[in-house]
């Protein structure tokens, strides 16, 4: 069945270091992927998205990489800051649209 | 531009009661979807509405229902509440059903 899963439930990094959060997906037909950040007490916040016809997309301090061969997605955060501490979810859009399939989430903790 | 607004922010109900949650999407967005978030199950899709029609439905029992109004505002209803329905209920809106923007959610506690 369809599933999107994350490799690591927790990640701890030093402030200023780069962070890499990984995600595996199982539906090779999915063509759109999104990374969300969720802080305590808030809803998921859109970070960056990527379509399956791209391998890489960059935003402000964030980069998403997509490897369709191994069905792997990663989020790279440059110069991680304490404000980046949150749970990060990858999600894929089903073919029907409007339905996100979420991974379990990775909790990122940034040490000052 | 105002974001997705969900009300109420917190709710406490007892088993057997019913509850209605409200969501106002971002202006101009016609797609509204609902998700349930629990520590054990993560984020799970409930249903999606587009132009007042339910377009997608997740694997939840019939006690969970929703609707969308002509102004794109949406409500979801849960009848005969069970303890396991305690969760954060999130509403998301989008213009065409792809890039979803979430509200802060309604935290429902069933006692």
């Amino acid at each position: 069945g369809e599933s999107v899963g994350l490799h690591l439930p927790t990640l701890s990094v030093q402030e200023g270091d780069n962070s890499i959060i990984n995600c595996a997906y199982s539906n090779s037909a999915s063509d759109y992927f999104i990374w969300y950040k969720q802080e305590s007490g808030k809803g998921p916040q859109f970070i960056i998205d990527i379509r399956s016809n791209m391998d890489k997309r960059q935003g402000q301090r964030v980069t998403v990489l997509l490897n369709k061969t191994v069905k792997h997605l990663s989020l790279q955060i440059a110069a991680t800051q304490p404000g980046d501490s949150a749970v990060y979810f990858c999600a894929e859009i089903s073919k029907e649209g409007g339905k996100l399939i979420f991974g379990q989430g990775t909790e990122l903790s940034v040490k000052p | 531009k105002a974001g997705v607004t969900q009300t109420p922010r917190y709710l406490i109900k007892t088993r057997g009661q019913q509850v209605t949650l409200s969501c106002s999407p971002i202006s101009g967005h016609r797609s509204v979807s609902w998700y349930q978030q629990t520590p054990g199950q993560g984020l799970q899709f409930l249903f999606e509405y587009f132009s007042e029609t339910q377009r997608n439905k997740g694997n939840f029992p019939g006690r969970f229902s929703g609707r969308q109004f002509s102004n794109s505002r949406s409500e979801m209803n849960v009848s005969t509440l069970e303890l396991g329905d305690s969760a954060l209920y999130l509403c998301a809106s989008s213009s065409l059903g792809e890039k979803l923007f979430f509200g802060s959610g309604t935290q429902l506690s069933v006692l």
Side-chain angles (χ1 to χ4, degrees), chain A residues 6-24:
Chain A
L6 295 175
H7 293 307
L8 298 173
T10 61
L11 177 64
S12 183
V13 300
Q14 204 70 36
E15 181 179 359
D17 288 351
N18 296 333
S19 303
I20 300 176
I21 301 172
N22 296 304
C23 173

Side-chain angles (χ1 to χ4, degrees), chain A residues 31-32 34 36 38 41-44 46 49 51 89 93-94 96-103, chain B residues 9 31 33 35 37 43 45 48 55-58 88 90 97-105:
Chain A
D31 63 359
Y32 183 60
I34 307 176
Y36 284 94
Q38 187 174 25
K42 297 182 180 180
F46 175 92
D49 57 358
R51 292 203 175 275
F89 294 95
I93 290 282
S94 69
E96 297 88 1
K99 173 184 175 181
L100 284 172
I101 301 168
F102 281 88
Chain B
R9 188 72 179 87
S31 169
S33 50
Y35 292 80
Q37 185 174 28
L43 281 147
F45 172 77
E48 186 228 0
R55 192 162 65 169
N56 280 294
K57 190 177 189 304
L88 179 66
L90 291 159
E98 286 195 330
K99 187 183 290 186
L100 272 63
F101 294 90
F102 285 83
S104 294

Side-chain angles (χ1 to χ4, degrees), chain A residues 5 7 13 15 17 25-26 43 55 60 63-64 78 80 97 101-102:
Chain A
H7 293 307
V13 300
E15 181 179 359
D17 288 351
Y25 64 94
S26 61
D55 297 322
Q60 187 177 11
T63 301
V64 56
T80 313
I101 301 168
F102 281 88

Side-chain angles (χ1 to χ4, degrees), chain B residues 92-108:
Chain B
S93 77
S94 69
S95 57
L96 295 174
E98 286 195 330
K99 187 183 290 186
L100 272 63
F101 294 90
F102 285 83
S104 294
T106 294
Q107 184 67 55
L108 173 64

Side-chain angles (χ1 to χ4, degrees), chain B residues 46-67:
Chain B
L46 282 156
F47 27 68
E48 186 228 0
Y49 288 87
F50 186 88
S51 295
E52 301 180 67
T53 300
Q54 186 180 86
R55 192 162 65 169
N56 280 294
K57 190 177 189 304
N59 297 322
F60 278 81
R63 299 185 298 107
F64 292 81
S65 63
R67 59 178 176 169

